[in-house]
Amino acid sequence: MPRPRTPLLNRERIVGAALRLVDEEGLAALSTRRLAGELSVSGPSLYNHFATKDELLDAVVDGVIGEVDLSMFGTGAPWPEALRDWARSYRAALAAHPNIVPVLAQGPGRRPNALRLADAVFGCLVEAGWPRGQATRIGALMRYFVTGSALASFAAGFPEDAGLYDAADYPHLGEAHRLAEHRAAVDEGAFETGLEALLDGLVLRFERLGSAPHQGSPTAHQGSPTPHQGSRATNAGRSSGSTGS
C-alpha cells in the first residue's frame, strides 16, 4: 500500500499548529524549529509562507481576533447594547487563548481582522452621534478593559492556604483562600460588573454631550459637539438610555 501523504503545508495549517503550541505551552515555546517539528517539515519550508516569526505571530493573533463576533454592529441596535455584546464575544475569544493576549494587547498593527474590529467599533460610535475623538478614546478604553480582564485570573491569584491570611495582618481576607475554587464565578462576575459600570457611565456621558452648549456660544468649551452632532447625540441618548443601564 502507498504511504499516506503528508498534508500540504499552507498558512492555515501553520497558524493552527502555532496557536495550539502557544495555547498549550506559552509564547516562549513558539520557535521555527519547534513548529517545524510539530508539523513534521523542515524549518526552511516555513519561510515560504512566513518571512519572520513576527509575521507568523501576527497571523496567529489575527486568527484569534477573527473569532470575535462583529455581527451586532450595523444592525441598528443601540450602541450600548452593541458594545455589550461585542465586549462579551471579545473576552470569550481571548479567554480561550490567554497566552496570546500579551501580543494582542499591543494594538491592531497590520492585522486585517483587528483593523476590521477597530473599524466596526469606531463606526458604531460615530454613527450613534459620538464625536470622532471621543469615539476613538472609547474604543481604546473598551480594548484596555477587555484585554486586561483576559490577561490573568484575579481569583486564581489568591493561594488556597487559609493559614496565609492571618487576621492580624489581613483582617478582611479571612475567606480569600476560597476565591480560587470559585475562579470562574469571581472572574466572570468582575468582568460583567465592570462592563455594566463602564456602559452606565458612557450613557450618562452621552446624555451630557447632547445637552452641552453649541460651539460659538459664550459658554461653549473645547471639544463640544457641533449643532448637528449635538442633535444626533440627544436623540440617540434618549433612545439608548434604557438599554445602556
Side-chain angles (χ1 to χ4, degrees), residues 45-66:
S45 64
L46 297 177
Y47 293 110
N48 294 327
H49 302 275
F50 295 97
T52 65
K53 178 182 172 181
D54 286 343
E55 184 182 329
L56 168 59
L57 203 50
D58 271 348
V60 173
V61 170
D62 208 44
V64 172
I65 293 297

Side-chain angles (χ1 to χ4, degrees), residues 11-243:
R11 288 176 65 93
E12 183 178 357
R13 186 171 169 234
I14 295 170
V15 168
L19 180 58
R20 285 192 298 274
L21 190 58
V22 172
D23 282 345
E24 294 171 4
E25 301 185 35
L27 282 166
L30 182 60
S31 67
T32 301
R33 177 177 295 181
R34 179 67 188 280
L35 186 57
E38 293 289 322
L39 292 165
S40 300
V41 299
S42 64
S45 64
L46 297 177
Y47 293 110
N48 294 327
H49 302 275
F50 295 97
T52 65
K53 178 182 172 181
D54 286 343
E55 184 182 329
L56 168 59
L57 203 50
D58 271 348
V60 173
V61 170
D62 208 44
V64 172
I65 293 297
E67 299 176 12
V68 181
D69 183 14
L70 300 178
S71 64
M72 66 287 298
F73 297 118
T75 63
W79 63 266
E81 184 178 305
L83 282 187
R84 180 185 294 107
D85 291 344
W86 162 73
R88 288 171 175 164
S89 177
Y90 193 11
R91 181 177 183 270
L94 302 194
H97 309 285
N99 291 336
I100 206 70
V101 175
V103 181
L104 181 148
Q106 295 172 7
R110 297 177 178 271
R111 304 163 189 155
N113 287 329
L115 290 170
R116 275 190 285 271
L117 184 153
D119 180 77
V121 174
F122 180 75
C124 168
L125 292 167
V126 170
E127 288 168 10
W130 283 98
R132 295 174 69 87
Q134 293 198 40
T136 298
R137 292 191 286 275
I138 293 168
L141 166 66
M142 296 299 294
R143 185 170 68 84
Y144 296 154
F145 172 67
V146 176
T147 55
S149 74
L151 275 172
S153 165
F154 173 82
F158 288 84
E160 298 182 65
D161 179 5
L164 177 66
Y165 307 100
D166 190 304
D169 295 321
Y170 315 109
H172 305 295
L173 296 183
E175 298 295 314
H177 63 286
R178 301 184 186 278
L179 287 174
E181 67 180 281
H182 301 290
R183 172 177 176 171
V186 172
D187 293 345
E188 290 172 15
F191 173 77
E192 288 294 329
T193 299
L195 179 60
E196 293 305 317
L198 273 178
L199 292 175
D200 286 349
L202 288 173
V203 168
L204 290 174
R205 188 178 182 89
F206 193 67
E207 291 171 348
R208 290 198 299 270
L209 181 69
S211 60
H214 293 166
Q215 286 193 15
S217 67
T219 58
H221 58 81
Q222 186 177 8
S224 297
T226 63
H228 177 63
Q229 289 172 322
S231 175
R232 291 174 64 196
T234 302
N235 294 336
R238 289 171 180 163
S239 65
S240 64
S242 61
T243 60

